[in-house]
Amino acid sequence: MSANLLVELFVEELPPKALKKLGESFATVLADSLKAQGLAQADATVTSYASPRRLGVQVAGVASKAADKAVQQKLMPVAVALTADGQPTPALLKKLAAVGADASVVPQLKRLPDGKAEALFWDSIQPGATLAQGLQKALDETLAKLPIPKVMSYQLADGWTDVKFVRPAHGLIALHGSEIVPVQALGLTAGRTTQGHRFEAAQATVSIDTADSYATQLRSQGAVIASFAERRADIAAQLQAAAAKLSLKPIDDDALLDEVTALVERPNVLTCAFEAEFLAVPQECLILTMKANQKYFPLLDAAGKLTRHFLVVSNIAPADATAVIQGNERVVRPRLADAKFFFDQDRKRTLASRVEGLNKVVYHGKLGSQGERMERVRAIGHAIVKLLSDATVPFTVEAQDQFAVLDSKVREAATLAKADLLTDMVGEFPELQGIMGGYYARHEGLRDGVAIAVEDHYKPRFAGDALPRNHTGTVLALADKLETLVGLFGIGQLPTGDKDPFALRRHALGVIRILVEKNLPLDLPALLDAAVPAFGELIENPRDALLGFFNDRLAVNLRDQGYSSQEVEAVLALAPGRLGDVPRRLEAVRAFAALPEAASLAAANKRVGNILKKVEGERPTTVSDALLQEAAEQALAAALRQVQPEADRLFEQHDYTASLKALAALKGPVDAFFDGVMVNAEDAALRANRLALLHQLHTAMNRVADLSKLAA
């Protein structure tokens, strides 16, 4: 018999930030265990339930007993199992006893090849697990594998038995259809009763009739929406509806929505407001304090500006919600008043007056204070401006005096960028560092571009974040991230596995995005070389390790953008220093790969590369026309003389797609060369000349990318 199975563990309030993962893990691991034991089909529908006080799962079509299955078990080598006259040895009898058999099965044993010898195998029928056995195993495994952030210990009602779990558990349901499955967990025996909403339930205890009626009964009798996904969707819909009544929109924050979903069992969205005077405080401060401290949803106008209205997701739905609304408005007022106080107090001192204090703030035990770090960032910023002014590819700041102004702005912004770390606002809300520096810089009336650079120098803070808005901010952001990467790599603080406490992967991706998306005429190796001297004797030069690290992050980023592994490998194999060129190179490779000549040329390029790798000593590079004897090699040399100048001209103009397409004309001569010319000729002069011709071909074909990576 098969029926739907329901399992619910009723507990005290679970950690809200962990609830979503706990619910997903509870459902997935339990269902997978049942499937592995043959009690549920591989494609069985699995429904997860997770609320502040329960974890649950429903698995469709679970059998009351798994099917028996034939099992062939290897026992031991024949030489060990049987005597010379074919009788079982004591070792065989002992092994049979261990697997639940005796000497009577010896005639049924099979002799089968096992490597170079023969072994005895026993064919038996293994009874399928009963649901009670299988569910007990699945439940034990599920609880052991839950991603519990912090385990707590508590005693059972007997006063003696200790249990360790994320929160004290008070109830367990296990229903197969309408029948209770006799399992136990955390000192609890399975039944069919659970608890509804603490305040809104029609009846405190809800007796679940069947596995299929669980969600419906909890909603109607217990006033609980058991499904995390349904509850989240309900909250999102209520937020949008409440905001629409005021022609506003709620702030978009998936993490906050998940957390609030984990705090309520019957969501009820209410509209509240605070005094308009608080809007004089930067909206980032107000939004952060409402979200982080109160779990409120601030409301924005059509321009994205904060309004005095906000939404509260309540866990109760009284007929008159006035008291609830007033209570939340009263609670948020001191939080906003604190933010206003911090903002007013911070503006009484300039950023410049705080810079000296950075020398007393430790950045890293091996890298000194924030003041010393500021000096390094300033030096690196100056070096980057120098690289931009010396770049062969024109940068948008053209005149030398403008580079001098840019350098001056970068120095000023770098000096002030970390000063907001010593403000009261950032001390209370570290997430606002940089943002508050920008506000305070504008309040002081700093020259155009410096305040924006101070605010933007942490950008991009996360995947998809905006880049710095001006040249000063761009240079400062690069300098800040390079200082972090070079310094920490230089003292051996590299990320390992999933551990990256200094967010170095994010910093590297930020450098990559700035260089690529702003198409800066800067070579990554040159940037690293410019950054290292700022550290003096503090660090070992991490240049090579960092180049490899950047290459790995760039490859991941490009694959995430939809480029194939072959395309990415072809471009990155040449280790292009100027990352702003990489997208154009990739598009060129993609266009080349679509040409009918591409496959043949890629294969030939791979063949040429393999031939040249085997050359011992110095590789010949000069071709003598007098030694071109075969018609095919003469034709290839002529084709190269015609194609290569045009391809090189297009390459220098950064028209990489046209440069690669120009190479398509080489397909015929290259194919004919390999069909009719022996490269490794006996005559040393001929052999060297043909290798030189291949060297020139290889050089011409691999300026944009290593085309051999496209070969099948």
Side-chain angles (χ1 to χ4, degrees):
M1 184 190 78
S2 68
N4 292 345
L5 174 73
L6 170 77
V7 178
E8 185 213 68
L9 184 64
F10 182 76
V11 297
E12 294 181 14
E13 277 76 3
L14 292 160
K17 291 185 178 180
L19 180 62
K20 186 177 181 181
K21 286 185 178 179
L22 288 171
E24 292 170 350
S25 175
F26 187 86
T28 301
V29 176
L30 190 141
D32 287 348
S33 180
L34 293 176
K35 292 174 182 178
Q37 296 178 73
L39 289 164
Q41 297 296 318
D43 59 350
T45 302
V46 179
T47 306
S48 171
Y49 298 107
S51 82
R53 297 198 295 159
R54 70 200 76 236
L55 297 172
V57 58
Q58 185 189 72
V59 184
V62 176
S64 57
K65 181 179 181 297
D68 298 342
K69 60 181 180 180
V71 177
Q72 186 175 77
Q73 190 171 0
K74 176 185 172 182
L75 298 177
M76 60 181 62
V78 172
V80 178
L82 302 176
T83 63
D85 58 356
Q87 297 301 309
T89 63
L92 176 59
L93 295 176
K94 184 177 181 180
K95 179 66 175 179
L96 288 172
V99 298
D102 54 30
S104 64
V105 304
V106 172
Q108 304 168 25
L109 300 181
K110 293 182 178 179
R111 297 173 61 145
L112 298 173
D114 183 43
K116 295 182 179 180
E118 282 188 321
L120 288 184
F121 289 81
W122 180 42
D123 291 339
S124 62
I125 301 297
Q126 180 177 311
T130 64
L131 178 56
Q133 295 169 336
L135 181 56
Q136 185 66 64
K137 178 181 177 182
L139 194 54
D140 292 342
E141 182 180 348
T142 298
L143 297 181
K145 291 184 177 181
L146 278 180
I148 298 174
K150 190 175 182 180
V151 175
M152 68 177 294
S153 180
Y154 62 95
Q155 288 185 331
L156 297 181
D158 62 14
W160 293 97
T161 308
D162 284 338
V163 176
K164 292 183 177 181
F165 194 53
V166 58
R167 291 292 185 271
H170 297 292
L172 178 65
I173 294 178
L175 290 179
H176 186 228
S178 60
E179 300 296 321
I180 296 174
V181 184
V183 293
Q184 296 182 330
L186 305 175
L188 303 168
T189 301
R192 66 170 69 247
T193 59
T194 187
Q195 302 295 310
H197 195 287
R198 284 190 184 275
F199 311 109
E200 302 284 333
Q203 53 195 72
T205 301
V206 179
S207 179
I208 306 300
D209 298 330
T210 69
D212 292 337
S213 66
Y214 172 73
T216 303
Q217 283 188 262
L218 262 185
R219 186 188 285 263
S220 60
Q221 300 173 26
V224 171
I225 301 175
S227 167
F228 187 96
E230 286 184 29
R231 207 163 57 254
R232 189 181 193 276
D234 184 37
I235 293 172
Q238 289 191 51
L239 290 172
Q240 293 295 338
K245 291 179 181 179
L246 299 172
S247 299
L248 301 174
K249 58 182 180 181
I251 197 160
D252 186 15
D253 190 322
D254 286 341
L256 178 61
L257 183 55
D258 284 342
E259 187 173 0
V260 169
T261 302
L263 287 168
V264 299
E265 292 192 310
R266 183 184 181 183
N268 179 36
V269 172
L270 303 172
T271 304
C272 306
F274 57 80
E275 289 78 0
E277 66 183 84
F278 292 120
L279 292 175
V281 179
Q283 70 177 42
E284 291 90 347
C285 308
L286 304 182
I287 290 171
L288 185 58
T289 192
M290 285 192 283
K291 285 169 39 177
N293 295 322
Q294 305 302 134
K295 315 306 175 189
Y296 296 159
F297 288 84
L299 290 179
L300 311 177
D301 63 19
K305 187 177 179 181
L306 180 67
T307 69
R308 58 187 293 265
H309 298 283
F310 61 94
L311 301 178
V312 176
V313 182
S314 174
N315 196 33
I316 56 176
D320 182 3
T322 303
V324 179
I325 293 172
Q326 291 177 346
N328 281 281
E329 291 176 342
R330 184 173 60 253
V331 167
V332 79
R333 194 172 296 119
R335 295 286 188 181
L336 302 183
D338 286 346
K340 185 176 186 302
F341 175 78
F342 293 148
F343 185 56
D344 292 339
Q345 290 298 112
D346 287 342
R347 289 183 294 171
K348 292 179 180 179
R349 290 185 59 190
T350 64
L351 291 174
S353 70
R354 301 177 188 272
V355 171
E356 185 65 28
L358 292 173
N359 292 318
K360 300 177 183 178
V361 180
V362 175
Y363 168 55
H364 190 285
K366 295 182 179 180
L367 296 173
S369 67
Q370 286 286 0
E372 292 170 301
R373 184 184 181 214
M374 176 268 292
E375 296 285 354
R376 292 193 294 266
V377 171
R378 188 164 60 188
I380 295 170
H382 171 68
I384 293 173
V385 174
K386 182 70 166 58
L387 289 174
L388 288 171
S389 66
D390 294 342
T392 55
V393 178
F395 187 53
T396 50
V397 179
E398 296 171 358
Q400 196 66 33
D401 60 340
Q402 288 181 296
F403 278 111
V405 172
L406 175 61
D407 185 51
S408 174
K409 288 183 178 181
V410 169
R411 287 174 180 270
E412 182 180 3
T415 302
L416 302 177
K418 303 299 180 185
D420 68 349
L421 296 175
L422 300 178
T423 62
D424 292 337
M425 187 71 81
V426 174
E428 181 71 15
F429 301 111
E431 302 93 328
L432 295 177
Q433 55 189 284
I435 294 172
M436 295 314 302
Y439 275 106
Y440 297 142
R442 279 189 289 273
H443 171 72
E444 295 172 25
L446 296 183
R447 57 177 164 165
D448 184 44
V450 172
I452 292 175
V454 170
E455 179 180 345
D456 287 358
H457 82 280
Y458 287 104
K459 294 180 179 179
R461 294 171 181 260
F462 50 85
D465 190 20
L467 299 182
R469 290 166 285 177
N470 61 18
H471 291 326
T472 309
T474 297
V475 172
L476 185 56
L478 278 175
D480 185 65
K481 289 169 175 55
L482 287 171
E483 192 280 338
T484 300
L485 289 159
V486 171
L488 291 169
F489 264 71
I491 60 172
Q493 296 284 343
L494 281 65
T496 57
D498 60 349
K499 294 181 180 179
D500 187 8
F502 298 103
L504 299 184
R505 294 187 180 96
R506 178 166 55 81
H507 280 85
L509 185 57
V511 172
I512 289 168
R513 282 193 58 203
I514 291 172
L515 293 176
V516 171
E517 294 178 33
K518 288 186 174 289
N519 193 24
L520 297 178
L522 295 170
D523 283 348
L524 182 58
L527 278 174
L528 298 179
D529 290 339
V532 170
F535 290 86
E537 302 297 322
L538 280 177
I539 64 170
E540 297 290 333
N541 191 335
R543 183 182 190 272
D544 292 341
L546 267 174
L547 285 175
F549 183 68
F550 272 108
N551 192 71
D552 291 342
R553 302 318 304 162
L554 179 58
V556 171
N557 178 252
L558 293 172
R559 286 194 291 267
D560 288 344
Q561 293 180 41
Y563 293 106
S564 70
S565 295
Q566 280 186 319
E567 292 166 344
V568 172
E569 288 176 17
V571 171
L572 298 190
L574 301 186
R578 186 179 170 193
L579 302 190
D581 275 349
V582 169
R584 289 196 295 273
R585 290 176 185 250
L586 283 165
E587 291 303 323
V589 168
R590 181 169 286 180
F592 174 79
L595 297 175
E597 299 89 350
S600 177
L601 284 173
N605 187 60
K606 186 174 184 179
R607 183 175 178 182
V608 171
N610 291 334
I611 292 171
L612 294 176
K613 284 178 185 177
K614 297 176 182 178
V615 176
E616 297 180 359
E618 188 175 351
R619 186 180 296 174
T621 59
T622 303
V623 177
S624 170
D625 290 346
L627 293 175
L628 296 173
Q629 296 185 354
E630 302 290 342
E633 60 183 328
Q634 293 170 358
L636 177 56
L640 261 178
R641 281 194 294 269
Q642 181 179 356
V643 169
Q644 187 169 4
E646 177 65 9
D648 287 347
R649 182 185 67 80
L650 293 167
F651 178 87
E652 297 302 332
Q653 294 176 355
H654 303 286
D655 190 350
Y656 301 129
T657 300
S659 179
L660 282 183
K661 286 184 176 179
L663 299 176
L666 295 174
K667 178 186 181 301
V670 169
D671 289 346
F673 177 87
F674 281 115
D675 287 342
V677 178
M678 174 65 69
V679 176
N680 290 320
E682 292 185 8
D683 186 294
L686 282 179
R687 182 169 64 250
N689 202 55
R690 288 168 183 173
L691 287 172
L693 180 60
L694 291 183
H695 172 79
Q696 291 185 5
L697 174 64
H698 194 258
T699 301
M701 293 181 68
N702 292 293
R703 294 198 71 187
V704 175
D706 183 351
L707 299 183
S708 68
K709 302 295 183 182
L710 302 179

